[in-house]
Amino acid sequence: MPRRAEPTAAIAGSVFLRAIRGEDQGKGWDLDAGQVYVLGRSRRCNVRLTDQTVSGAHARVECQQGVWLITDLRSSHGTRVNEQKILAAKPLFDRDRIQLGKSLLEFRQYEQLAQADLAEIAREVELLE
């Protein structure tokens, strides 16, 4: 079973997902390039969502050769990135929006962030705490 991604409210890694809409709004998960992440409702998922419109194992996020990719796992409602339904593995870029069911996640990649963006994220994290 993959290592569970721990929800975080702090800036601790270089890549993370943040729930910006849905039942899990405000939760965040640090991502490690050496791990494969399964997003969904199942207890076996290491990015676990509570939204009932999300499939048990909805999508997979992983880093291959330095590129973060998302793949739909034949979910009931599909996976969208920036409002476009994905049909195959799709590269993720900073600030991409991932829709799973009624939930909306934002993909953030720190090395692409300007100093002003880091300050904005720090303010948002403080508001969530």
Side-chain angles (χ1 to χ4, degrees):
M1 183 163 89
R3 189 183 87 202
R4 175 173 246 87
E6 292 301 321
T8 181
I11 298 172
S14 63
V15 177
F16 75 98
L17 289 173
R18 174 176 61 166
I20 59 175
R21 186 178 71 213
E23 294 178 30
D24 297 291
Q25 183 173 347
K27 288 184 184 176
W29 298 268
D30 288 317
L31 304 182
D32 177 2
Q35 284 289 128
V36 174
Y37 296 91
V38 178
L39 290 62
R41 283 190 351 264
S42 170
R43 292 183 188 272
R44 301 182 100 172
C45 293
N46 47 6
V47 174
R48 192 163 172 216
L49 301 169
T50 58
D51 179 349
Q52 294 299 307
T53 63
V54 172
S55 294
H58 198 108
R60 179 178 63 237
V61 173
E62 61 189 317
C63 187
Q64 292 184 1
Q65 299 176 343
V67 177
W68 285 91
L69 302 169
I70 186 164
T71 306
D72 183 71
L73 297 176
R74 296 180 162 185
S75 63
S76 299
H77 300 289
T79 299
R80 295 180 178 274
V81 175
N82 301 325
E83 300 181 4
Q84 299 292 319
K85 188 171 185 174
I86 63 170
L87 302 174
K90 178 176 182 2
L92 289 170
F93 299 96
D94 186 44
R95 294 185 186 261
D96 275 351
R97 302 270 173 113
I98 302 165
Q99 184 175 347
L100 309 171
K102 293 180 182 176
S103 294
L104 188 64
L105 308 178
E106 185 175 52
F107 177 81
R108 297 306 307 259
Q109 198 162 8
Y110 299 142
E111 54 267 15
Q112 295 179 2
L113 299 180
Q115 198 62 32
D117 289 329
L118 289 173
E120 176 190 339
I121 290 170
R123 281 192 300 276
E124 290 175 5
V125 167
E126 285 177 8
L127 293 174
L128 294 173
E129 293 180 335

